[in-house]
Amino acid sequence: MQSGKPALLGNFHPNLPVIQSNLRDLFSKHSNGISLSRLPQMYKETFKHDLSDEALKQVANWTHICTVQRPINNKNEIVLFSSSKKQQNTQKITQQHTTVQVKPNVSPGVSKQASSEKLGANTIPSAELKQRVSELLSNYTNGLWLHALPKVFEDTFKITLPLNAFKVKELSDICTIQVISENPYKAILYAKSTESVGQNLNNLNSEKQEEDQSHKAHSGKDDPDAHIITPPLTIPSEASPSVLVVELNNTEEVVIRYVGEDYSAAQERMEDEMKEFYSKNTNLVPPHLLKLGQLVAVKAEEEAWLRAQISEVEDNKIKVVYVDYGFSEVVDSSKVSRLSKPFYSLPFQATKCRLAGLDAFCDDPVLVKAVEAKACGKILAVEILQKTEKPLVVLYDTSGDDDININSICLRELCDHSLSVQLKVNSSYSNIIVTNVCSDGTLFCQIPSKGLTKLYETLQKVENYFDSKTVTSNVFISLPFCGKICLFHSNEKWARVEITSVHSSRTLDVQFLDSGTIASVKVSELKEIPSPFLRDIISIPPQATRCCLSDLPLNIGMWTPDAVLWLRNTVLNCSDCSIKVVKIDEGKRMMHVYLFTSKNFADPELSVNHQIANVELWKQQKNLPSIVTHLPKAKSDVCTRTAIPRKEQAILATKPITEQTSTSPSSALPPPLPLPKSSEHMDVFVSVACHPGHFVFQSWQELHKLEVVMEKMLLHYSSTEEKQVEIEKNKIYAAKVENK
């Protein structure tokens, strides 16, 4: 073993003591053993959650919990039996015995004495019967389990062995009986010629007992990790808990620590207590008594003491995993002490999680390096999508003005930058398609490039793939989350979209990566990217280039609805636009351009920039919020809605609620809300409270109906062409507030 950079969590499992306790209970209930192949199923049926792959790989090595036998008729099978305290002393030898898995003659819970009485005889075994048993045992130099004897005897001699007709001890003249467990009663039978094997077992037991007594005398009490269980780590209940990202091997094995009063703060208090305790009660463990999986206290820098679990032992060098930090280190045995009982109460603080949306590329070194650079060593907010043994999460960096989706930006590192749009200042480009105009005048353009060509080719392959395959449930989105990239079909074409906001289990907002537009869609309308095309789809950079008109008059101020409307009508349906790049703002990923509706980009006077500087377009409408209208669909786009800045508090959609074909507001009002009679009660949600004499509430019973209506409105107004209307007092309109 060599000490170097701290290793990762490795085979350490934060809930290991709980898993081992569960397995001990499970084995004790199945005295005839459990096949290793059936263990995961039986574990899940009993404890209602999966047995981790790591635990399944290690269980055969946990000799303090179980012994391992291989059936004589199937050497490839492994059968696990419960280990009692007495059985632990002989586990290394009993693992070597060959046996078969059969139903035992002695029921669990019956003592040796009771068992003997139950097996009490009506006769004494005949000499012939004993001779046959002796012949049979001579074929098993490693011994034969007592409960397997009847089955093997019958298979060999084709007659039934009346084991219940005599006492087991009456076979002692033909074999050596090695008692393994008192309750339930288990024993191994050896032919007299192999009596020395039984003697070796007794010697081994004596040595082990002396060693245990020496350890007890040294420590003053039993080793606590034999019977004390550390409670499992519970996932925080709040919506977005904070975590410290420690390390990762891949994005499916990210080591984190929760930050909070019951987590990191509790750990700090415990370590302060450990420092004080071990400054007075150092209780070093002799190297020969250290064992794999044992919990210990390890002396660290600055007289600190940390909880750890032993993963390797080699002479005086011990490799330990720090269970509260998630990394491992090789230390000298002189720094290892027995973990005192009070320090078992806090769950292990290091745990693992999976990063949503990155599983297909979890081992990609570029992706792993990106996550390390953007997440490791930082405290981040976490959105927990699935509260499983290894939670599925999305990480967010909330330290700046805008929340950054770590999963999403790390996935972008897989883009092939040779397919990015390469623009240069003072250069001109033709055959430009404007795909979207936002309410703040920002434009999104598609510029001819290698990436755009490959995108069209790949999406055509996807189209052919879906046409040739039967649609199955695995192509639908089962778990939508922000930052997930998927496919959306519109205007008979597939397009790449990224989920930007999840409203409910049925509706969400998406942004089209290659047009810049935003739409509210049904979850059922989205599809997973087929695995054969996933790498190609992800590697192509977004083909929507963000631009703004350069050199507009400084006194223009906020864009008015008239100016936005004029710009959209001018450029969205133009199939022959061109641009001249004036400036590139790398920080904002913004291109400052002159935009032309033809290939004649030599004269700035003919640019859209010059034409839009018309004073009439910039007159603000007094006392009215900016109105964003839905325009006719662009030929090159699959969506008609524009991006809505979050800071706009109220943006009015311009079609009235009730009449979808009319531009005049409705005069009809919804029916009145049913209210209780005097002295009756009702459940309410208070939405506005000015003072005790003026507040607004909503009926709790009716809220679900309101949510349904709002969801229908969201889908309707994101797909319906709208026109501006005159706003009148006391009329009913549909208004967009934030994302609803």
Side-chain angles (χ1 to χ4, degrees):
M1 297 184 297
Q2 295 180 349
S3 178
K5 178 183 177 182
L8 300 184
L9 207 55
N11 290 330
F12 162 70
H13 194 284
N15 294 329
L16 181 61
V18 177
I19 292 176
Q20 291 183 340
S21 176
N22 289 344
L23 289 172
R24 185 180 288 110
D25 292 342
L26 187 61
F27 291 140
S28 67
K29 296 176 182 177
H30 296 269
S31 58
N32 58 338
I34 299 176
S35 298
L36 183 64
S37 59
R38 292 195 62 230
L39 182 59
Q41 176 186 350
M42 297 181 69
Y43 187 93
K44 185 173 184 179
E45 290 174 354
T46 305
F47 302 107
K48 309 307 179 186
H49 62 84
D50 292 328
L51 177 65
S52 69
D53 293 339
E54 296 171 2
L56 185 61
K57 294 176 182 177
Q58 295 294 324
V59 65
N61 299 324
W62 293 337
T63 54
H64 60 295
I65 292 177
C66 62
T67 58
V68 179
Q69 289 87 39
R70 296 182 182 274
I72 190 172
N73 58 349
N74 185 357
K75 295 297 182 65
N76 294 324
E77 179 64 282
I78 293 178
V79 182
L80 305 174
F81 292 84
S82 173
S83 293
S84 65
K85 292 183 179 179
K86 185 171 182 179
Q87 193 172 355
Q88 291 178 27
N89 296 333
T90 59
Q91 56 196 7
K92 293 186 179 179
I93 300 298
T94 57
Q95 288 180 24
Q96 302 173 6
H97 294 295
T98 304
T99 186
V100 293
Q101 181 182 357
V102 296
K103 184 176 180 180
N105 295 91
V106 183
S107 302
V110 181
S111 66
K112 179 179 178 181
Q113 181 179 357
S115 301
S116 300
E117 293 174 357
K118 185 174 181 180
L119 299 177
N122 295 322
T123 60
I124 303 303
S126 66
E128 181 183 1
L129 189 63
K130 285 187 177 183
Q131 179 63 32
R132 289 190 175 185
V133 172
S134 178
E135 292 175 4
L136 184 63
L137 292 178
S138 66
N139 296 324
Y140 293 87
T141 57
N142 290 324
L144 181 66
W145 284 96
L146 172 63
H147 67 254
L149 178 61
K151 174 65 174 175
V152 178
F153 188 93
E154 185 173 354
D155 291 343
T156 303
F157 300 108
K158 309 303 180 186
I159 59 174
T160 302
L161 174 67
L163 189 60
N164 60 347
F166 55 84
K167 297 179 180 180
V168 175
K169 66 180 182 180
E170 293 175 351
L171 295 176
S172 60
D173 57 337
I174 62 168
C175 66
T176 300
I177 303 173
Q178 176 68 39
V179 178
I180 300 300
S181 171
E182 295 282 354
N183 185 13
Y185 182 67
K186 292 183 181 179
I188 300 174
L189 307 180
Y190 300 91
K192 278 295 186 180
S193 59
T194 60
E195 186 173 355
S196 59
V197 176
Q199 185 62 41
N200 290 338
L201 286 174
N202 291 331
N203 294 339
L204 180 64
N205 290 345
S206 300
E207 293 174 3
K208 185 66 168 60
Q209 290 170 0
E210 291 176 2
E211 183 181 87
D212 290 345
Q213 291 173 358
S214 174
H215 185 200
K216 291 178 182 179
H218 178 82
S219 63
K221 58 178 71 175
D222 291 339
D223 189 355
D225 62 357
H227 53 81
I228 300 179
I229 297 177
T230 303
L233 182 69
T234 57
I235 296 176
S237 58
E238 58 260 41
S240 298
S242 295
V243 299
L244 172 65
V245 181
V246 180
E247 282 277 8
L248 73 154
N249 276 326
N250 56 64
T251 61
E252 293 289 283
E253 299 276 334
V254 181
V255 181
I256 61 172
R257 295 170 54 205
Y258 293 110
V259 177
E261 178 62 27
D262 296 330
Y263 299 91
S264 57
Q267 179 191 335
E268 290 178 5
R269 291 193 296 268
M270 180 195 68
E271 290 179 356
D272 289 341
E273 294 171 0
M274 290 178 66
K275 183 176 182 179
E276 181 179 358
F277 176 85
Y278 287 106
S279 66
K280 305 174 183 177
N281 302 280
T282 302
N283 190 0
L284 300 180
V285 183
H288 69 282
L289 295 181
L290 295 172
K291 57 186 178 181
L292 298 183
Q294 182 178 352
L295 292 178
V296 293
V298 176
K299 187 177 182 180
E301 297 178 355
E302 299 180 358
E303 301 300 318
W305 286 84
L306 307 178
R307 299 191 299 178
Q309 188 174 40
I310 297 176
S311 59
E312 292 181 28
V313 178
E314 185 175 316
D315 297 330
N316 291 332
K317 296 296 183 182
I318 314 298
K319 187 174 184 180
V320 296
V321 179
Y322 294 108
V323 294
D324 298 312
Y325 293 90
F327 62 89
S328 62
E329 185 180 30
V330 177
V331 299
D332 192 271
S333 61
S334 62
K335 295 184 177 181
V336 178
S337 288
R338 184 179 61 81
L339 186 64
S340 185
K341 182 177 179 180
F343 307 124
Y344 279 80
S345 60
L346 184 70
F348 300 152
Q349 295 300 294
T351 187
K352 292 181 180 179
C353 69
R354 299 169 290 141
L355 300 188
L358 307 182
D359 53 305
F361 314 102
C362 63
D363 293 311
D364 191 293
V366 174
L367 181 63
V368 172
K369 184 177 180 180
V371 177
E372 285 180 338
K374 295 176 172 59
C376 287
K378 297 180 180 179
I379 295 179
L380 304 172
V382 60
E383 178 188 7
I384 301 176
L385 304 177
Q386 291 180 338
K387 292 188 175 183
T388 54
E389 186 175 331
K390 279 193 292 189
L392 184 68
V393 307
V394 179
L395 299 175
Y396 290 91
D397 186 344
T398 59
S399 60
D401 293 335
D402 298 317
D403 293 348
I404 298 176
N405 186 319
I406 298 295
N407 299 39
S408 179
I409 63 171
C410 289
L411 186 62
R412 293 175 193 168
E413 295 293 325
L414 298 180
C415 288
D416 183 351
H417 296 292
S418 68
L419 301 177
S420 299
V421 178
Q422 306 293 333
L423 300 181
K424 297 180 180 179
V425 176
N426 295 326
S427 297
S428 300
Y429 304 88
S430 56
N431 298 320
I432 305 299
I433 298 176
V434 180
T435 57
N436 185 32
V437 177
C438 302
S439 59
D440 62 353
T442 302
L443 307 102
F444 286 89
C445 303
Q446 283 185 349
I447 302 173
S449 66
K450 289 196 306 181
L452 191 60
T453 301
K454 184 174 181 180
L455 175 66
Y456 289 150
E457 294 173 351
T458 305
L459 291 178
Q460 184 58 53
K461 293 178 182 178
V462 171
E463 179 83 37
N464 298 337
Y465 177 86
F466 280 129
D467 289 343
S468 63
K469 299 288 184 179
T470 302
V471 177
T472 56
S473 59
N474 60 354
V475 304
F476 295 99
I477 305 299
S478 59
L479 183 63
F481 57 87
C482 291
K484 182 176 177 63
I485 296 177
C486 37
L487 298 174
F488 180 79
H489 197 259
S490 179
N491 290 348
E492 300 182 353
K493 291 183 179 180
W494 289 101
R496 301 187 300 174
V497 297
E498 180 179 0
I499 298 175
T500 57
S501 179
V502 179
H503 298 291
S504 69
S505 60
R506 296 187 298 271
T507 60
L508 42 75
D509 286 351
V510 297
Q511 181 170 30
F512 289 77
L513 295 180
D514 305 303
S515 66
T517 52
I518 294 178
S520 296
V521 300
K522 296 179 181 178
V523 175
S524 59
E525 295 176 313
L526 300 178
K527 299 292 185 293
E528 293 280 5
I529 301 172
S531 55
F533 310 104
L534 183 58
R535 171 67 72 169
D536 285 342
I537 290 291
I538 297 299
S539 67
I540 302 174
Q543 295 300 301
T545 302
R546 194 162 172 253
C547 305
C548 67
L549 299 181
S550 182
D551 298 332
L552 293 180
L554 295 177
N555 60 353
I556 282 181
M558 187 177 74
W559 282 70
T560 63
D562 287 340
V564 175
L565 180 61
W566 181 90
L567 182 59
R568 289 174 176 164
N569 287 335
T570 302
V571 301
L572 282 180
N573 294 312
C574 179
S575 59
D576 196 22
C577 289
S578 57
I579 61 172
K580 181 177 181 180
V581 180
V582 177
K583 175 185 174 183
I584 300 178
D585 188 336
E586 296 287 355
K588 296 182 179 180
R589 296 185 179 181
M590 179 77 77
M591 306 293 171
H592 296 254
V593 302
Y594 275 96
L595 177 63
F596 302 86
T597 54
S598 68
K599 295 182 180 179
N600 184 13
F601 40 73
D603 187 1
E605 295 293 323
L606 300 177
S607 67
V608 172
N609 307 48
H610 182 78
Q611 298 173 45
I612 203 171
N614 187 313
V615 176
E616 293 298 321
L617 295 175
W618 299 95
K619 290 182 177 179
Q620 295 287 346
Q621 300 182 42
K622 294 183 178 180
N623 301 323
L624 289 178
S626 299
I627 296 178
V628 177
T629 58
H630 296 289
L631 296 174
K633 297 178 180 178
K635 295 180 181 178
S636 62
D637 205 352
V638 295
C639 178
T640 61
R641 234 197 65 190
T642 61
I644 309 297
R646 289 182 178 272
K647 294 182 179 179
E648 296 185 21
Q649 293 300 309
I651 298 177
L652 303 182
T654 57
K655 181 152 294 204
I657 290 177
T658 55
E659 289 210 40
Q660 306 301 335
T661 59
S662 171
T663 58
S664 60
S666 171
S667 58
L669 293 175
L673 186 70
L675 296 175
K677 297 178 182 179
S678 178
S679 76
E680 293 182 346
H681 295 80
M682 70 180 297
D683 293 327
V684 300
F685 173 77
V686 178
S687 56
V688 178
C690 298
H691 54 78
H694 184 187
F695 59 92
V696 178
F697 67 80
Q698 297 169 320
S699 170
W700 189 263
Q701 298 286 344
E702 301 288 322
L703 275 183
H704 72 284
K705 298 179 182 178
L706 175 61
E707 291 175 356
V708 171
V709 171
M710 292 170 66
E711 191 172 272
K712 291 180 178 178
M713 291 171 66
L714 186 69
L715 294 171
H716 172 80
Y717 288 110
S718 67
S719 60
T720 306
E721 297 181 5
E722 307 287 352
K723 294 182 180 179
Q724 257 184 293
V725 297
E726 294 295 329
I727 305 298
E728 301 178 31
K729 189 177 181 180
N730 295 328
K731 298 296 183 181
I732 305 298
Y733 300 89
K736 191 171 196 305
V737 181
E738 295 182 346
N739 288 324
K740 297 184 178 181

